[in-house]
Amino acid sequence: MSILLISAVLSTAIATDTSPLYDEDIKHGIAMITTELVSRHNEMTCWEPKGGSAGWLAKYNGGTTAVTTLALLCAGDSMNTPEIQASLKYLSDVKSPSTYVLATRISVWSMMPERYKRNLKKDTRQLVSTLGLRAGSWGNYSNPPTTRSSASPLNREFGMIALREAERNGQRVPKKCWMALADATLATQQSSGGWAYGQSATSGTPSSNMTVAALNCLLGVDEIYGADLSDEQANWLHSSIERALSWLNEHATTEENVGGTTLMSYLYGLERAAMSCGLAEINKRDWFQDGARAVIKTHCGVRKAKGSTINLAFGLLFLSRGRVPVALCELATNKGSIDPLRTTETIASRLSEQTERELSWQTVTNKERLEAWQTAPLLFIQDTKAIPNTTNKLKRYLDAGGLIVMLGSKKDFIRFSEIANTLCPKVNPENVANTH
């Protein structure tokens, strides 16, 4: 394996934002929603709705508090604030949580320090034990569904997100759980590449919400268990992911009104899926700009935020997680291809650990303008087929302060060296140690 780095000059991040919605607008929306949520906190009931709620998540005890706590933590609030401390105790005291609450509570514990690992371990075990292996999903409470047709795809998505976070934080989930989730999701994908709520591969109309939910399940299996799959299983999984992305690139939208909880949770799921795949656009639209614009327009008034607490919390999650800096862009042949080794995502993750700041990555192609490449200070290349026929755009990227990193086999290194010599003819190559 060979690594080649090309840099014309040293530079800080080079970002170009021509959208009418700027980062200051996003930060203002985050601050406004955060202030409103904190003001709604009740010392005894935290963020639970007065008199109950008929909402699909808010109706469960602890549901609104769990999502709101997670949102405030993702937005940067300290766990030591009185509101967060009270909510952590409240959530700990929910003895028989629904699947939604249990899963969201696991995501909360995953963000906590070591003393909360016992909570994380206990809830992870409970979530594993209540998974219906035959249905590949969870019921609303501890009794799992007996068939795939009776399983909720949203329960499956929330459960998968929780197990993924648990694994990332040292918990071990049995192989049979990942395989059950993968089998159920793969078996219910329609020929178009999308998923319908009815969990059938032959009936029902596919929707963006259900397709994003299923895609998050497949991405979770690929991240945590992908290295242990057989070649046949991995090919099936990656083909399914690519078909799902193709469906979303034809049908997905984020321009509709976000007043309803269903669409707000969809934006939350969309953000997770898009960032896992390094996508800046879906269906030729900037998914974050569209979603952020809709959240701010719907929920941020002149002086204060408005809307239900659960909607505000989902909106805050979307705004906070979706605006993390892009550390690197990978030059690929197309945006729908899946890297089995997840190299770019691994690099971004390790950079996040070293800088102690969450960072993301994106995929770019030669068809895009230079400004798209300049979203990040580093351009990563591991596919020689993705390299332009001429080096003009690569040269312009370097001249603007970018760094090009190429990774490949010994055979690829010959091609990479030719490009390096063309871009920097007066620079002598330097060999460095493997630990560089």
Side-chain angles (χ1 to χ4, degrees), residues 267-398:
L267 288 179
Y268 166 64
L270 180 70
E271 164 264 313
R272 297 190 73 94
M275 293 184 69
S276 290
C277 296
L279 299 179
E281 294 183 349
I282 292 179
N283 198 9
K284 299 179 181 179
R285 300 286 302 182
D286 186 320
W287 59 267
F288 181 68
Q289 283 286 316
D290 283 350
R293 190 179 297 107
V295 170
I296 291 173
K297 179 180 179 181
T298 304
H299 293 299
C300 295
V302 177
R303 295 183 177 84
K304 59 183 293 187
K306 56 185 178 180
S308 69
T309 300
I310 196 74
N311 277 343
L312 288 175
F314 272 124
L316 182 60
L317 275 169
F318 179 82
L319 294 180
S320 300
R321 290 177 54 88
R323 66 177 288 269
V324 299
V326 180
L328 71 159
C329 289
E330 178 179 1
L331 185 61
T333 52
N334 65 76
K335 293 189 174 184
S337 59
I338 300 299
D339 174 15
L341 299 178
R342 309 178 71 89
T343 307
T344 315
E345 186 175 354
T346 301
I347 293 173
S349 177
R350 290 181 180 178
L351 286 173
S352 296
E353 293 175 1
Q354 291 178 5
T355 60
E356 297 184 349
R357 182 183 185 186
E358 187 173 1
L359 299 169
S360 63
W361 65 281
Q362 289 182 359
T363 301
V364 294
T365 68
N366 185 40
K367 297 179 181 179
E368 294 174 281
R369 299 173 60 187
L370 180 64
E371 286 78 8
W373 294 15
Q374 292 176 318
T375 303
L378 190 155
L379 183 67
F380 179 64
I381 305 174
Q382 59 177 337
D383 182 2
T384 56
K385 296 179 181 178
I387 300 172
N389 292 328
T390 65
T391 58
N392 293 340
K393 189 183 289 187
L394 293 171
K395 183 67 165 61
R396 289 164 55 203
Y397 181 82
L398 286 175

Side-chain angles (χ1 to χ4, degrees), residues 43-54:
E43 186 176 344
M44 299 298 296
T45 59
C46 293
W47 284 284
E48 295 307 293
K50 297 179 181 179
S53 171

